[in-house]
């Protein structure tokens, strides 16, 4: 099998995790490995765009609430709502109380059930509320939060794609990336993300770590419930990580 280059990994990350016009040339597991290792970099770009629009609106005279809504809308738009859709589908699957096979079938349906709707509403409200508070404190705090949450969300994808985490189905994006990242590499990326976050202060580092931890709890629940991960589960852990990291940034004085 041909060895994947770093460019292949970056193409995979940006081509599958964003709507940016990046063409993916390789869909094999080496490219997927590089892509999932590069996922936090895609988060950095998405978060930068989210923060940029939020700060621009503040400079134009908008209030912190509108800036917060914009910073939440940008990641959704740059992913075509993929992670939010996965969150809703996973909530429906977990809340169904059905056996794993039936729950996975529910998750594949195009409609959203009551558990999915409720989860989406609460998560989006939490994200907007946190960012509005932080933008109200200062544009810098809001911008840092928007970037940190986006990076943490994609870090959760790297960790969820580590070796030992099985796929729940033999097909789909989840199966394509499940288990492709060596555990040591996943932990190294996580440590690097926390270290970079520490440059913004101990609270940012704590937010990154807490977001990854919250995503890990959801991941483990899904693996026990469904027998492995799916593309929807990846979306759920990403949104969980983003939301937890944002909440942590509001705690304390």
């Amino acid at each position: 099998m041909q060895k994947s280059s770093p460019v292949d990994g970056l193409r995979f990350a940006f081509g599958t995790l964003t709507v940016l016009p990046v063409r993916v040339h390789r869909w094999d597991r080496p490219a997927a490995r590089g892509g999932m290792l590069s996922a936090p970099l895609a988060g950095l770009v998405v978060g930068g765009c989210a923060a940029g629009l939020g700060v621009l609106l503040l400079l134009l005279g908008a209030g912190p609430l509108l800036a917060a809504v914009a910073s939440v809308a940008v990641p959704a738009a740059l992913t075509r709502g993929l992670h939010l859709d996965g969150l809703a589908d996973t909530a429906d699957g977990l809340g169904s109380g059905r056996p794993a096979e039936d729950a996975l079938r529910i998750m594949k349906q195009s409609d959203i059930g009551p558990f999915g709707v409720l989860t989406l509403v609460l998560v989006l409200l939490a994200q907007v509320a946190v960012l509005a508070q932080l933008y109200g404190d200062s544009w810098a705090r809001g911008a840092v939060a928007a970037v940190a949450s986006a990076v943490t969300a994609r870090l959760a994808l790297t960790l969820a794609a580590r070796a030992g985490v099985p796929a729940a189905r033999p097909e789909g994006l989840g199966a394509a990336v499940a288990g492709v990242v060596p555990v040591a590499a996943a932990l190294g990326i996580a440590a690097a993300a926390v270290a970079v976050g520490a440059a913004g202060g101990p609270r940012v580092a704590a937010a990154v770590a807490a977001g990854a931890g919250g995503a890990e709890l959801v991941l483990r629940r899904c693996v026990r419930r469904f027998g492995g991960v799916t593309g929807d589960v990846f979306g759920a852990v990403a949104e969980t990580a983003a939301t937890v990291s944002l909440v942590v940034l509001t705690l304390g004085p």
Side-chain angles (χ1 to χ4, degrees):
M1 183 180 294
Q2 183 182 358
K3 187 176 179 180
S4 176
S5 72
V7 174
D8 291 324
L10 288 172
R11 284 185 175 276
F12 191 96
F14 283 91
T16 59
L17 300 178
T18 75
V19 298
L20 298 176
V22 177
R23 181 173 296 179
V24 181
H25 296 303
R26 294 182 56 180
W27 288 92
D28 53 21
R29 290 183 71 80
R33 180 181 303 112
M36 299 313 288
L37 285 170
S38 303
L41 293 178
L44 182 62
V45 172
V46 170
C49 293
L53 182 57
V55 171
L56 176 62
L57 288 172
L58 290 176
L59 292 175
L60 293 175
L65 180 57
L66 182 57
V69 170
S71 288
V72 171
V74 167
L78 289 181
T79 60
R80 294 193 184 95
L82 186 65
H83 296 160
L84 291 171
D85 179 68
L87 174 67
D89 288 341
T90 301
D92 282 333
L94 290 174
S96 67
R98 303 286 184 84
E101 184 177 345
D102 292 338
L104 289 170
R105 178 180 53 79
I106 289 171
M107 291 164 63
K108 289 189 71 173
Q109 295 175 354
S110 58
D111 59 330
I112 300 178
F115 288 105
V117 171
L118 181 61
T119 301
L120 276 181
V121 169
L122 293 177
V123 164
L124 290 173
L125 280 176
Q127 292 179 1
V128 169
V130 168
L131 284 168
Q133 176 181 334
L134 295 176
Y135 275 128
D137 292 340
S138 74
W139 68 266
R141 290 195 68 188
V144 167
V147 173
S149 64
V151 171
T152 306
R154 278 73 185 175
L155 170 63
L157 300 181
T158 303
L159 294 170
R162 69 183 183 271
V165 179
R169 301 190 186 102
E171 75 285 341
L173 180 59
V177 300
V180 297
V181 177
V183 173
L187 294 177
I189 294 293
V194 173
V196 172
R203 186 176 299 183
V204 177
V208 174
E216 179 66 18
L217 293 177
V218 172
L219 175 66
R220 293 189 179 192
R221 171 60 176 156
C222 290
V223 170
R224 288 195 301 269
R225 183 72 174 79
F226 308 132
V229 292
T230 68
D232 288 331
V233 171
F234 277 96
V237 298
E239 290 298 332
T240 298
T243 306
V244 171
S245 66
L246 285 172
V247 171
V248 170
L249 286 171
T250 68
L251 302 179

